[in-house]
Amino acid sequence: MSLTITELPHKEQALFRSALRLYEVRQYKKGFKTCEQILKKFPNHGETLAVKGMFLAYLDRNEEAYTTIKRGIEISPQSSISWHVYGIVCRRDEKFEEATKCYEEALKVDSENVSILRELAQLQTQIRQYDRLVETRARIVKLDGNNTPSYWLGLAVAHQLTGRYDLALRIISTHENTVLDENSGFKANNPDYRAEVSELLMYKTWLMELNGDFQMALDNLKEIRPRITDVTGWKEQKAKLLLKLNRKEAAASAYQDLIERNPDNNNYICSYLLCNGLDMSRPEDKDAVLEIIKGLQKQFPISNTLKFVPLTFCTGDDFVREADILAKYSLRKGIPSLFASMKTLYMNEAKGTALGKLFEGYALQLRDTKRFSDSTDDESSLVLMWCKLYLAQHADYYGDYERALKLVEEAISTSPDTVDLYMVKAKVLKHAGDIRGARDIMDFGRQKDLKDRFINTKTVKYMLRNNEVDEAEKTIVLLVRDDAPHKVQEIVDTQTIWYMREQGHAYRRLGDIGRALKHYQQVADSFATYHNDQYDFHSYSMRKFTVRAYNDILKWEDQLFTHHVYVDSAKAAIDCYVDLYDRKAAGSPFVPISEKPMKPFTRNGSAKQGQHNLSAGLGETKPVAVDVDPNGSKFVEADDYLERALKFVEVLETYVGSQPETHVSAFEVHLRMKKYFLALKSINSLKAIDDDYSSLVPMVVRMRAALDSDETFAAPMKAALKDQLFKAFGDASIESTIETHKQSLTFMLAGAKCMIRLGGESNVARAKDLLLQAASDRYGETRTLKNLLAAKDLLVEAGASESELATYATSAKQVFALSTCF
Amino acid sequence: MITIRKAMASDLMAMQHCNLSNLAENYQLSLYLYFYSGWPDVSFVAENAQGQVVGYVLSYVKKEEGKDSVGYICSLSVIRSYRRLGIAQRLMGQAHAAMVEGYDVELSTLNVRVSNSAAFNLYKNTLAYE
């Protein structure tokens, strides 16, 4: 039989209580010893065992921790302490679902324990069980006799999260006086809590708006003005509500007020126009819009936004006139981002052409007369330099890399110390396929300003694109803060996700799947941390009253895994695991590479170390923290490649199910797991997004082949699946789909890849034939650098000979004359 | 075209990225979350036409009992290729205004590396920090 605490002798009871206190003050070792002391006399005391287990977890002895706690629970399953402790350990390990269940068990015995309820509320928010959250929060409020603000605010937020804005408002109205009433003795009168009061009042107004009571919200807003600290938020809210209530005149003056505070906000400007019944995107409004913008420009000459806005809606001569004003201003000022901001206009072909002509004209005028044709003053030579830089980027945009390089060279000869010029030159070379040259130029630019982290960052990125992982690491640590104990670890600790991803890609190109997976996993781990970061705010934000920002945090967290760095790394990790699986299945498993490759891998064999000035701080670099898995062998030696891949697939399916490539990745994993119904589901999901997607028919073909060759799979189910495929796709084949899209390299690549995967001499030979033609004219614009490189990789996979690869390289160089990457 | 606006939760990762690309003082995302959640109205971002964050100011306000509020500029950064547009100055202007209007801040402080000459000049000459 189990003993409850009260059944222990006094001395042990006291020890038990002191163990719990030791947990609160984080004295885990002492706490552990205290438990041991009790267990010496009462080795089967369940609650002590559970608490001992918790201390073990905090002493990083996780496995023992769980067995000890589970034994404790077996002995005293009716103890809330044991379940609570179990919940704490699960929560610590980020097993939020399990933790929630433990807390619920604990509450079955101890239903009025507010601190357990509060922790449960945090967990339920974390796993988005909002309906249950409402119950939990309601119980807390009911048990609390003190009207604790964070409790009832928590309940209001729970109602709001389930869409019951009316109930949220009612809760606030019932309790708000404990905070707002001047006689409540609480926070209202204390200037130290002004911000909290302000946030509560603003939240209430927002709830009214969510509930559709715009007028009530507006009236309330006016009343609370003197107590508001978030003045910008208040003014934005007021303007928005006036516009929603269609009180256009008042709304216009509210937006006018906002523009005065910040004339560089496009949203304010658009809304101001809306108040005047105007819309920039409506051509018939153009003249009226322009008139208003001109008026605002006079009022706010400092605004960059107002200078640019006319370019977005003007066309023809109006466009040229407005562009001329902005261009001359920017060239004289030497604004490096001029092309970057104009670039969005190039979507409209006529505007791109017009801008090219305009700047060509400037270049001629400045070259011949040192002046713009409408001016009587000589311009500095730098104006022509910036003009050439613009024209270089313009040529680059249209793929004329040789001209772009010539122009940027001319700019450099005028101003050889301007770092921006090298950044542009490197970018042009990158687009032209000279990855090595791009990296060299970026590095040259870096040497002009060794203290600047931005150019350092760019150089590191370009080095990684050139597969120089070691050089990249040496370079990035130069500008990691000097007092970081371990600079390489610091980069991981500060969540430098772009670097992790690029490292992964570089190692993958180098064929080092172990290290590639290691870095993709670092990305995934960083996102897991981001996801868990929200946990504390489920309670902190209630105490701070900043629940509007808190809602914003939840919204962001809910779509965290749609971030392109995560999606890209996850897909790459899936590919790596699939690759590992295939190699193992083919009898030649991948072996972890123990030594780092010393030399950058370049296929033309001309890799040379550039000149680097590493004296700027590398000497102080302290030894790196012991990396327990430097080459990623942990990933390579795993025996569950597909299960690991599946974890990534599940995240992608949940968050980016609207992207075609999600289902391509999912298919690859399901097919290898012989989960044919899921593979079919991936095919159908892809078809629903885009029934003419390049990978679709290849997936169907491979599915058919897999079904045919799987003799262990039940015949009736096989027939049913094949029947479904036939109904949806008939007898679609690779050859037919390539033929239908004979001008698309993308379709050809997908088809060739499929043939290689299917295997068999004739398939592979056919794929090779197709791929050797990848650079031919028929593919026109689809011959992007990325596609041509993919063709090269597939050729290597198909076992093309040296001479075949050389022939292909020559043909690819006809498309990208400056390239060095084939 | 650059828009200056209040920071939102969905900007925090981009702010972190901007910081990591530009400066040597780097922080984990949880710190950005903490400042944003504690003082959601005093941090601002600059966003380009493609919606990328090209500059930010991350700030907070501290109020000790019985004393005046003090504003802190935790981090300010503008991507190199977006210089000369006055972005940093505008971001600081918004942050200062928010601190003064909302919190009656009379003093705001920041730390800058002397080696960061662009920032040093901005603070000392343009914004009159001492």
Side-chain angles (χ1 to χ4, degrees):
Chain A
M1 271 307 288
S2 65
L3 284 172
T4 62
I5 311 165
T6 44
E7 287 161 336
L8 285 173
H10 278 302
K11 188 188 159 202
E12 275 70 25
Q13 274 190 45
L15 281 172
F16 190 82
R17 273 193 295 273
S18 86
L20 293 183
R21 258 196 312 277
L22 287 165
Y23 166 71
E24 273 159 32
V25 294
R26 298 181 187 188
Q27 302 258 1
Y28 305 128
K29 245 187 202 157
K30 274 193 193 161
F32 173 74
K33 282 190 185 145
T34 311
C35 291
E36 292 272 73
Q37 234 177 307
I38 304 173
L39 289 167
K40 238 182 222 165
K41 270 197 190 162
F42 300 93
N44 286 322
H45 187 244
E47 287 168 323
T48 307
L49 279 166
V51 174
K52 177 185 154 186
M54 174 176 71
F55 284 119
L56 281 167
Y58 279 89
L59 295 169
D60 288 324
R61 290 159 64 181
N62 250 13
E63 221 165 286
E64 286 169 81
Y66 280 104
T67 36
T68 314
I69 295 174
K70 279 179 189 162
R71 239 186 80 212
I73 289 182
E74 266 169 38
I75 294 168
S76 47
Q78 293 297 315
S79 154
S80 81
I81 292 185
S82 302
W83 283 108
H84 189 182
V85 157
Y86 193 12
I88 289 174
V89 174
C90 288
R91 186 192 67 196
R92 188 175 170 270
D93 286 339
E94 291 155 10
K95 298 179 194 161
F96 298 115
E97 268 97 8
E98 275 133 298
T100 308
K101 284 176 198 147
C102 295
Y103 276 85
E104 281 164 355
E105 286 295 328
L107 283 165
K108 278 185 193 162
V109 197
D110 191 5
S111 62
E112 303 202 337
N113 187 323
V114 172
S115 74
I116 295 182
L117 282 164
R118 282 172 58 199
E119 287 165 42
L120 177 63
Q122 271 184 285
L123 285 163
Q124 286 168 330
T125 319
Q126 182 75 17
I127 58 174
R128 305 295 191 260
Q129 286 188 349
Y130 290 152
D131 288 330
R132 291 189 173 189
L133 175 69
V134 172
E135 287 169 35
T136 309
R137 292 284 192 198
R139 277 166 79 183
I140 297 172
V141 171
K142 213 171 153 195
L143 287 168
D144 172 47
N146 301 324
N147 257 329
T148 309
S150 64
Y151 294 177
W152 54 258
L153 188 56
L155 176 58
V157 170
H159 281 309
Q160 173 241 311
L161 289 170
T162 52
R164 291 300 307 268
Y165 312 122
D166 55 334
L167 294 179
L169 276 166
R170 198 185 300 161
I171 295 295
I172 292 184
S173 301
T174 310
H175 296 276
E176 64 187 350
N177 277 348
T178 51
V179 172
L180 302 178
D181 189 359
E182 309 208 335
N183 300 319
S184 72
F186 194 67
K187 295 179 172 179
N189 287 332
N190 189 335
D192 292 348
Y193 291 105
R194 271 191 60 196
E196 279 85 343
V197 169
S198 167
E199 284 298 322
L200 176 65
L201 293 167
M202 286 298 287
Y203 178 54
K204 196 177 164 190
T205 316
W206 184 53
L207 285 172
M208 292 170 181
E209 188 197 343
L210 288 174
N211 205 31
D213 301 329
F214 302 146
Q215 187 61 50
M216 190 200 280
L218 185 65
D219 294 342
N220 184 60
L221 207 56
K222 284 178 183 159
E223 198 182 303
I224 62 178
R225 174 64 187 90
R227 300 169 94 172
I228 293 306
T229 58
D230 178 10
V231 180
T232 311
W234 185 89
K235 291 192 174 206
E236 286 180 352
Q237 178 83 342
K238 179 179 149 202
K240 197 169 80 178
L241 284 168
L242 284 166
L243 195 55
K244 278 190 172 176
L245 286 162
N246 214 22
R247 289 178 50 192
K248 290 189 171 162
E249 224 169 289
S253 89
Y255 278 110
Q256 167 89 23
D257 182 28
L258 282 166
I259 294 170
E260 270 169 41
R261 294 162 59 84
N262 174 10
D264 279 287
N265 185 303
N266 193 38
N267 183 31
Y268 295 166
I269 296 165
C270 291
S271 303
Y272 181 68
L273 291 169
L274 272 183
C275 299
N276 289 282
L278 298 169
D279 184 342
M280 275 193 243
S281 58
R282 270 201 310 256
E284 63 267 31
D285 289 357
K286 192 193 77 184
D287 291 339
V289 170
L290 191 58
E291 199 186 316
I292 290 190
I293 298 288
K294 289 277 158 193
L296 289 172
Q297 280 179 350
K298 272 202 196 98
Q299 263 184 291
F300 310 107
I302 190 186
S303 164
N304 292 322
T305 310
L306 284 166
K307 283 193 194 82
F308 186 83
V309 161
L311 275 65
T312 59
F313 61 85
C314 286
T315 52
D317 292 343
D318 288 339
F319 174 77
V320 176
R321 189 190 61 239
E322 297 302 321
D324 182 54
I325 300 171
L326 179 67
K328 281 179 181 150
Y329 166 83
S330 306
L331 290 174
R332 283 175 174 138
K333 228 173 157 225
I335 291 174
S337 58
L338 179 58
F339 183 80
S341 50
M342 295 289 200
K343 204 173 135 190
T344 48
L345 303 168
Y346 280 65
M347 303 277 275
N348 177 327
E349 214 175 306
K351 288 188 182 180
T353 313
L355 285 167
K357 252 169 127 179
L358 189 67
F359 282 84
E360 294 285 358
Y362 295 157
L364 285 177
Q365 294 159 28
L366 290 164
R367 187 194 68 192
D368 295 342
T369 67
K370 292 188 178 167
R371 292 175 189 178
F372 289 114
S373 56
D374 60 353
S375 159
T376 50
D377 296 326
D378 282 0
E379 304 290 341
S380 119
S381 63
L382 291 178
V383 177
L384 179 57
M385 188 275 285
W386 289 112
C387 181
K388 283 182 173 165
L389 184 71
Y390 185 94
L391 285 167
Q393 289 164 289
H394 177 85
D396 177 53
Y397 181 86
Y398 289 107
D400 190 351
Y401 306 122
E402 278 167 67
R403 183 172 150 70
L405 284 175
K406 188 175 157 278
L407 283 158
V408 77
E409 284 297 348
E410 287 173 21
I412 287 173
S413 68
T414 309
S415 180
D417 288 329
T418 303
V419 172
D420 306 80
L421 304 180
Y422 300 99
M423 297 201 297
V424 170
K425 186 177 174 186
K427 200 170 184 179
V428 175
L429 287 168
K430 182 181 82 175
H431 293 161
D434 185 1
I435 293 164
R436 165 101 218 148
R439 165 249 182 267
D440 286 343
I441 294 300
M442 197 61 95
D443 193 36
F444 189 78
R446 180 182 72 86
Q447 315 231 10
K448 298 260 173 199
D449 192 354
L450 286 168
K451 282 181 194 159
D452 183 66
R453 189 159 186 194
F454 188 70
I455 181 87
N456 178 285
T457 298
K458 286 273 178 197
T459 309
V460 170
K461 185 168 152 189
Y462 277 54
M463 285 172 169
L464 287 172
R465 294 281 168 95
N466 195 41
N467 302 339
E468 295 169 72
V469 280
D470 287 345
E471 203 60 37
E473 187 175 290
K474 278 185 207 158
T475 309
I476 195 172
V477 297
L478 293 175
L479 293 184
V480 169
R481 65 187 173 94
D482 277 337
D483 44 350
H486 303 296
K487 291 195 175 193
V488 175
Q489 190 55 39
E490 173 82 1
I491 297 165
V492 179
D493 292 346
T494 51
Q495 301 162 329
T496 315
I497 52 174
W498 75 265
Y499 181 64
M500 301 168 186
R501 168 171 74 146
E502 294 288 347
Q503 274 180 306
H505 289 347
Y507 277 120
R508 201 168 153 221
R509 286 189 297 266
L510 289 166
D512 190 341
I513 310 176
R515 286 191 174 83
L517 274 171
K518 176 181 163 170
H519 293 296
Y520 294 139
Q521 189 57 46
Q522 287 176 342
V523 174
D525 291 345
S526 302
F527 276 83
T529 306
Y530 293 157
H531 192 61
N532 293 331
D533 280 344
Q534 63 178 305
Y535 191 83
D536 290 341
F537 297 101
H538 303 322
S539 73
Y540 175 81
S541 299
M542 305 304 139
R543 295 198 304 274
K544 272 295 240 177
F545 289 66
T546 51
V547 283
R548 287 179 307 151
Y550 171 66
N551 266 279
D552 197 23
I553 290 172
L554 293 184
K555 207 170 91 191
W556 163 68
E557 290 280 10
D558 280 338
Q559 49 85 61
L560 173 66
F561 293 97
T562 65
H563 195 280
H564 69 280
V565 174
Y566 179 82
V567 172
D568 185 47
S569 305
K571 281 195 299 215
I574 293 168
D575 287 351
C576 286
Y577 280 124
V578 164
D579 196 0
L580 287 173
Y581 175 85
D582 287 349
R583 286 174 195 236
K584 200 170 171 186
S588 55
F590 176 81
V591 181
I593 298 169
S594 51
E595 288 302 315
K596 270 193 173 188
M598 291 309 287
K599 260 191 198 166
F601 176 85
T602 54
R603 291 201 166 92
N604 59 17
S606 65
K608 265 185 230 144
Q609 296 291 316
Q611 290 294 308
H612 297 287
N613 179 1
L614 291 180
S615 61
L618 192 65
E620 291 120 53
T621 314
K622 290 174 189 146
V624 179
V626 181
D627 186 345
V628 287
D629 187 19
N631 61 352
S633 53
K634 182 171 98 186
F635 303 96
V636 178
E637 282 153 13
D639 55 2
D640 56 346
Y641 297 145
L642 296 180
E643 286 74 14
R644 284 163 177 251
L646 194 63
K647 287 213 174 104
F648 284 107
V649 166
E650 283 163 357
V651 179
L652 295 181
E653 284 178 334
T654 307
Y655 290 91
V656 286
S658 60
Q659 295 180 11
E661 286 296 324
T662 293
H663 305 290
V664 179
S665 295
F667 174 80
E668 295 294 339
V669 177
H670 294 321
L671 193 71
R672 283 169 179 77
M673 293 180 112
K674 300 190 192 294
K675 305 238 166 143
Y676 299 117
F677 284 95
L678 289 174
L680 180 68
K681 204 175 134 222
S682 300
I683 290 177
N684 287 332
S685 304
L686 178 57
K687 187 168 183 260
I689 298 167
D690 181 357
D691 63 4
D692 197 24
Y693 193 73
S694 60
S695 305
L696 186 58
V697 171
M699 278 157 64
V700 173
V701 171
R702 282 181 54 212
M703 172 104 175
R704 278 191 214 128
L707 286 170
D708 284 340
S709 65
D710 188 346
E711 280 157 19
T712 59
F713 190 54
M717 290 212 270
K718 198 186 271 194
L721 282 167
K722 284 180 86 169
D723 188 45
Q724 290 218 32
L725 284 176
F726 186 78
K727 275 187 191 141
F729 299 95
D731 49 9
S733 72
I734 300 292
E735 293 294 348
S736 65
T737 165
I738 291 180
E739 183 56 28
T740 326
H741 303 87
K742 59 182 165 211
Q743 292 176 325
S744 165
L745 182 52
T746 314
F747 274 82
M748 189 273 263
L749 289 172
K753 190 172 177 179
C754 172
M755 289 175 180
I756 296 170
R757 293 271 185 284
L758 285 172
E761 228 168 274
S762 66
N763 276 333
V764 176
R766 172 69 179 137
K768 212 160 71 178
D769 283 346
L770 283 166
L771 290 164
L772 286 168
Q773 297 299 314
S776 76
D777 288 341
R778 105 176 75 128
Y779 294 120
E781 303 258 298
T782 63
R783 292 171 299 171
T784 59
L785 192 63
K786 196 175 150 216
N787 275 344
L788 289 174
L789 282 170
K792 183 183 139 191
D793 289 342
L794 286 172
L795 273 170
V796 173
E797 220 181 298
S801 67
E802 288 290 322
S803 74
E804 283 169 327
L805 287 173
T807 313
Y808 174 69
T810 315
S811 68
K813 274 198 87 134
Q814 307 247 309
V815 188
F816 284 91
L818 301 170
S819 64
T820 55
C821 54
F822 293 100
Chain B
M1 179 164 56
I2 307 293
T3 275
I4 310 275
R5 56 169 177 76
K6 265 170 79 171
M8 302 187 291
S10 53
D11 294 318
L12 301 177
M13 276 183 72
M15 289 159 75
Q16 184 188 37
H17 177 69
C18 187
N19 166 276
L20 281 164
S21 307
N22 273 346
L23 300 176
E25 288 300 325
N26 310 128
Y27 320 96
Q28 294 183 334
L29 195 78
S30 51
L31 186 99
Y32 294 81
L33 274 166
Y34 172 69
F35 284 148
Y36 174 66
S37 133
W39 299 271
D41 44 0
V42 293
S43 291
F44 291 82
V45 295
E47 179 186 72
N48 71 8
Q50 288 92 340
Q52 294 160 330
V53 169
V54 298
Y56 69 85
V57 58
L58 180 71
S59 8
Y60 63 100
V61 180
K62 236 183 175 166
K63 173 97 176 78
E64 277 169 38
E65 255 183 72
K67 287 189 188 162
D68 288 337
S69 296
V70 179
Y72 292 87
I73 304 297
C74 171
S75 183
L76 166 76
S77 171
V78 176
I79 281 189
R80 182 177 184 120
S81 36
Y82 285 86
R83 284 185 188 168
R84 293 195 218 172
L85 286 164
I87 293 176
Q89 196 184 338
R90 280 157 224 245
L91 288 168
M92 289 290 281
Q94 292 298 315
H96 281 162
M99 287 174 177
V100 171
E101 282 178 340
Y103 299 87
D104 299 326
V105 163
E106 290 187 4
L107 175 74
S108 85
T109 69
L110 51 82
N111 293 314
V112 58
R113 286 174 189 254
V114 183
S115 61
N116 188 350
S117 53
F120 194 81
N121 284 332
L122 170 79
Y123 296 137
K124 201 166 156 58
N125 302 331
T126 315
L127 298 170
Y129 273 80
E130 282 172 7

